[in-house]
Amino acid sequence: DEVEALCQFNNTRASHYLRARNDPEEALLQLQDNDVPCKRDTRLPSAIVIDESYSSSPELLRSKQWVVQDGAASLIVPLLDARPGMRIWDVCAAPGGKTFQLADTIEGKGLIVATDKNRNRLASLNEQAQNLDVECVESFTWDALSDPFPLDFEVFDAILVDAPCSGWGTFRRNPDLRWRLRPDTEAYLAERSLRILERAQEQLKPGGVMVYSTCTLAPEENEKTVDTFLLNHKEFERESVAAYLPEAFQQAVTPAGDLSLFPSRWSLDGAYGARLRKKGTSVG
């Protein structure tokens, strides 16, 4: 039944989601005044859903009042419990949805270092940061699998590893994935994700938090990757994400304490998130 429901869900048109950067009710009224068919997703604090029949305009996307971000994706950043003044590294940052959510979360007070190996996607991130008047983000091109750390790279209070993944949770938005995925894709990407985690953890302060996330449903890329990382790094411990999720999503917490969104159950993209703390003196 679950498989059939997922297949049917994947063949529906996905709604467009916006994350209001300030007052969601004010953003909703502004959109409705411009004849945009939309409503609040009350399960999420800042989410606005635009009817799937609406074709959005470039002018709409350039507004400083909101950013395009799926509701599932917006649940990941709160797992970091970011606060003003923190120094945060977004390892695989492009196209920037979570980067800008982090910037709004810390109220622009602090530093977010955004890295990505794709120069063009990072250029788009920088352009959007300028359009949104986000000034606390510093970005540079960096391959998480191979490039050496810059000599002036300081340790971070928190790190987000939103890993490149097979995308099983996004078939509605990316139907071509059904033809591009191979039987060995999950194992290949899981190995790469583990290597990214291994490198990123070197730059995390004792007491700091690293969040690992994907948009896939594959256990190899999700909980099994985290389990392997924790076996290799006894200085880390898994923390439950429950305290950082809205009440409506408490049933999406796994027995191990991770976030796991199954698309057809939640009418959202699939998403996975784990919260890992590096043992030691807590970060102030």
Side-chain angles (χ1 to χ4, degrees):
D1 289 344
E2 289 273 30
V3 172
E4 183 176 354
L6 176 63
C7 291
Q8 291 177 345
F9 179 80
N10 287 339
N11 286 334
T12 63
R13 292 187 64 178
S15 300
H16 308 289
Y17 265 79
L18 301 177
R19 178 182 60 82
R21 300 183 65 208
N22 298 298
D23 184 347
E25 288 297 334
E26 181 179 329
L28 182 71
L29 289 174
Q30 185 174 341
L31 287 162
Q32 291 174 339
D33 286 346
N34 284 276
D35 298 323
V36 178
C38 57
K39 61 183 180 181
R40 292 281 307 278
D41 184 338
T42 55
R43 301 173 300 175
L44 296 154
S46 303
I48 296 174
V49 191
I50 298 176
D51 190 86
E52 59 268 18
S53 63
Y54 179 76
S55 297
S56 60
S57 64
E59 292 75 19
L60 175 72
L61 302 183
R62 279 199 290 266
S63 172
K64 291 179 172 59
Q65 303 304 312
W66 50 74
V67 293
V68 176
Q69 187 177 30
D70 182 72
S74 70
L75 290 170
I76 299 300
V77 164
L79 306 185
L80 282 167
D81 192 26
R83 300 181 301 279
M86 291 179 69
R87 177 181 168 86
I88 304 169
W89 182 18
D90 188 352
V91 180
C92 307
K98 296 180 180 68
T99 308
F100 302 128
Q101 188 179 3
L102 275 169
D104 292 339
T105 299
I106 66 172
E107 302 171 4
K109 301 170 184 175
L111 175 65
I112 299 167
V113 175
T115 60
D116 201 277
K117 72 173 185 178
N118 189 311
R119 189 180 303 274
N120 292 332
R121 282 161 59 89
L122 203 60
S124 297
L125 183 152
N126 292 332
E127 181 181 355
Q128 189 171 8
Q130 186 174 5
N131 291 338
L132 295 173
D133 294 331
V134 172
E135 299 179 352
C136 63
V137 173
E138 293 183 6
S139 67
F140 61 91
T141 306
W142 190 76
D143 189 329
L145 292 171
S146 59
D147 288 349
F149 292 114
L151 293 177
D152 60 347
F153 216 45
E154 300 178 7
V155 292
F156 294 87
D157 301 308
I159 295 175
L160 173 61
V161 178
D162 186 39
C165 68
S166 55
W168 277 82
T170 64
F171 277 170
R172 283 194 309 166
R173 301 182 191 281
N174 303 290
D176 59 307
L177 279 176
R178 307 174 203 217
W179 287 269
R180 290 196 286 116
L181 293 178
R182 297 166 49 88
D184 60 351
T185 297
E186 290 85 359
Y188 169 74
L189 290 171
E191 188 271 335
R192 289 166 59 92
S193 295
L194 184 60
R195 286 166 57 196
I196 295 173
L197 279 173
E198 294 276 1
R199 297 203 72 202
Q201 63 85 22
E202 298 177 26
Q203 302 299 314
L204 184 64
K205 287 181 178 179
V209 169
M210 182 165 64
V211 166
Y212 172 73
S213 65
T214 74
C215 58
T216 188
L217 309 179
E220 294 87 352
E221 298 175 75
N222 292 343
E223 56 266 33
K224 290 184 179 180
T225 293
V226 172
D227 290 343
T228 302
F229 175 81
L230 290 173
L231 281 175
N232 297 338
H233 291 275
K234 302 301 183 183
E235 73 275 25
F236 276 83
E237 58 186 352
R238 192 188 228 128
E239 294 186 342
S240 175
V241 302
Y244 308 98
L245 293 172
E247 183 63 32
F249 292 93
Q250 293 302 306
Q251 295 301 312
V253 180
T254 70
D258 302 339
L259 169 68
S260 180
L261 285 181
F262 197 74
S264 53
R265 290 182 204 158
W266 297 94
S267 295
L268 292 168
D269 286 354
Y272 172 82
R275 177 180 162 91
L276 310 171
R277 184 178 294 278
K278 195 172 193 177
K279 299 174 186 177
T281 304
S282 297
V283 177

